[in-house]
């Protein structure tokens, strides 16, 4: 089984070289690497060319998350399409093999791998989110349609029959996964295919990320509502639970309580305020569904 690794980029020079070095160390699978760039001016394309990537370009005015992936998929030659963020670094040399292995078995056409943070860089609250959504145990096939394209793989024939939605503001992976599950396909979570997912965002950009995702969630689950009461409740719960976990696992003692508490408060406030702004137009939802997707644990 041949693979095409597709990486979307815009000014990813900081970590792209490390990501491509880790890709180059992969064993057991024949693959090509395609970069879909939307106007980088920081040397991203030069780094990619130096690692032997094929380059596809998309204008900023054309860019959507789904359209850029479709552009890369259309150029790909592999039987499996692998999606990797330009700031995600595979941590094992059989990452690629493990990620694509389940495809074609038990109805699985779409897989995603584990994400972990990097010590000294990843914000504590984001590490808690990684632990929630990307646990240490695999589930192949899994229940439900959660998926994440920072580290995922999709059967190429399946993509040809059902390309990514080019209109959503984010979460194109969930839109795809939900549609596939509704058609009778299955999604697989592969904990043994981990990457370090390195976010180095300003606080306003954290807010914007969650606002964009909440807007997209309206298309995926139009019944989901996130109002002022959820904003207050989930922000408070996130801060409290993160603070307690940081005390329990020793992070508080290592980093100092005041500075870590400030970081936790800022992250959870940006996360849920962004979600609130993006979801303000929304309607009714069951408490169970709301807490499954938004509650901090």
């Amino acid at each position: 089984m041949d693979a095409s690794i597709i990486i979307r980029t815009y000014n990813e020079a900081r970590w792209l070289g490390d990501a491509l070095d880790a890709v180059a160390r992969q064993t057991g699978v024949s693959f090509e690497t395609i970069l879909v760039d939307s106007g980088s001016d920081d040397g991203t394309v030069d780094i990619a060319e130096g690692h032997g990537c094929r380059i596809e370009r998309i204008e900023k005015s054309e860019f959507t998350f789904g359209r850029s992936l479709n552009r890369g998929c259309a150029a790909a030659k592999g039987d499996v399409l692998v999606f990797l963020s330009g700031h995600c670094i595979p941590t094992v040399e059989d990452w690629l093999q493990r990620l694509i292995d389940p495809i074609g078995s038990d109805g699985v056409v779409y897989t995603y791998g584990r994400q972990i943070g990097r010590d000294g860089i990843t914000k504590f609250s984001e590490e808690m989110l990684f632990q929630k959504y990307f646990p240490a145990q695999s589930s192949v096939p899994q229940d439900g349609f959660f998926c994440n394209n920072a580290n995922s793989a999709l059967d190429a024939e399946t993509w040809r029959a059902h390309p990514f939605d080019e209109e959503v503001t984010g979460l194109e992976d969930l839109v795809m996964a939900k549609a596939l599950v509704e058609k009778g396909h299955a999604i697989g979570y592969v904990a043994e295919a981990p990457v370090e997912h390195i976010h180095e965002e300003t606080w306003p950009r954290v807010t914007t990320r969650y606002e964009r995702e909440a807007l997209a969630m309206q298309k995926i689950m139009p019944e989901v509502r996130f109002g002022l009461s959820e904003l207050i409740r989930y922000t408070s719960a996130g801060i409290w639970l993160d603070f307690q976990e940081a005390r329990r696992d020793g992070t508080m003692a290592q980093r100092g309580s005041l500075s870590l508490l400030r970081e936790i408060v800022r992250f959870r406030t940006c996360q849920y305020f962004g979600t609130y702004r993006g979801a303000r137009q929304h309607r009714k939802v069951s408490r169970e569904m709301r807490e499954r997707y938004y509650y901090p644990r």
Side-chain angles (χ1 to χ4, degrees), residues 5-53:
I5 301 174
I6 299 164
I7 305 176
R8 290 179 297 201
T9 57
Y10 175 70
N11 287 345
E12 295 280 9
R14 174 86 162 97
W15 296 108
L16 182 61
D18 290 348
L20 291 174
D21 286 342
V23 165
R25 291 192 290 270
Q26 296 305 301
T27 60
V29 181
S30 174
F31 64 91
E32 62 174 350
T33 306
I34 299 169
L35 193 87
V36 183
D37 189 74
S38 53
S40 295
D41 57 10
D42 67 343
T44 290
V45 173
D46 292 337
I47 292 168
E49 289 176 337
H51 283 77
C53 299

Side-chain angles (χ1 to χ4, degrees), residues 223-226 283-290:
E223 71 275 22
V224 169
R225 176 182 172 275
F226 193 99
R283 333 184 224 294
K284 300 179 183 178
V285 65
S286 71
R287 179 175 178 135
E288 178 184 354
M289 289 186 71
R290 187 167 60 231

Side-chain angles (χ1 to χ4, degrees), residues 31-256:
F31 64 91
E32 62 174 350
T33 306
I34 299 169
L35 193 87
V36 183
D37 189 74
S38 53
S40 295
D41 57 10
D42 67 343
T44 290
V45 173
D46 292 337
I47 292 168
E49 289 176 337
H51 283 77
C53 299
R54 282 203 289 132
I55 311 298
E56 295 289 324
R57 290 179 169 84
I58 183 169
E59 296 294 327
K60 288 182 186 179
S61 59
E62 294 182 87
F63 178 87
T64 66
F65 292 97
R67 185 172 295 134
S68 61
L69 284 184
N70 285 338
R71 189 72 55 86
C73 293
K77 301 174 182 176
D79 305 306
V80 179
L81 307 168
V82 176
F83 310 116
L84 181 68
S85 169
H87 49 270
C88 284
I89 303 171
T91 64
V92 293
E93 294 184 2
D94 59 352
W95 157 77
L96 180 58
Q97 180 74 67
R98 289 181 176 273
L99 186 64
I100 71 174
D101 267 351
I103 291 180
S105 301
D106 298 319
V108 172
V109 296
Y110 200 5
T111 64
Y112 65 106
R114 191 178 185 190
Q115 297 179 31
I116 59 177
R118 173 167 286 196
D119 290 344
I121 296 178
T122 301
K123 296 174 177 66
F124 182 82
S125 296
E126 185 139 47
E127 185 64 59
M128 295 301 97
L129 290 174
F130 287 154
Q131 291 181 23
K132 174 182 177 179
Y133 289 109
F134 309 103
Q137 297 79 34
S138 292
S139 181
V140 182
Q142 70 172 22
D143 293 329
F145 59 83
F146 181 79
C147 193
N148 191 285
N149 274 344
N151 176 26
S152 67
L154 175 66
D155 173 65
E157 283 296 326
T158 300
W159 170 80
R160 281 188 275 273
H162 190 100
F164 286 101
D165 188 309
E166 297 190 354
E167 302 303 320
V168 289
T169 58
L171 302 183
E172 79 292 336
D173 34 27
L174 289 185
V175 174
M176 169 71 85
K178 182 182 180 185
L180 294 178
V181 168
E182 289 173 348
K183 290 177 181 292
H185 300 297
I187 314 299
Y189 170 63
V190 188
E192 297 81 13
V195 299
E196 286 185 325
H197 192 159
I198 305 171
H199 274 135
E200 293 182 293
E201 298 171 308
T202 63
W203 294 115
R205 289 192 64 175
V206 174
T207 302
T208 299
R209 170 159 55 108
Y210 285 101
E211 180 178 6
R212 185 182 69 237
E213 291 184 355
L215 283 167
M217 186 64 80
Q218 295 182 22
K219 179 167 185 175
I220 302 165
M221 292 191 297
E223 71 275 22
V224 169
R225 176 182 172 275
F226 193 99
L228 185 59
S229 62
E230 287 77 37
L231 168 63
I232 295 169
R233 178 170 179 248
Y234 294 169
T235 302
S236 302
I239 292 168
W240 174 250
L241 291 170
D242 288 353
F243 185 77
Q244 292 301 315
E245 180 62 20
R247 290 181 61 187
R248 186 199 65 78
D249 72 5
T251 304
M252 192 70 71
Q254 294 170 16
R255 294 184 49 185

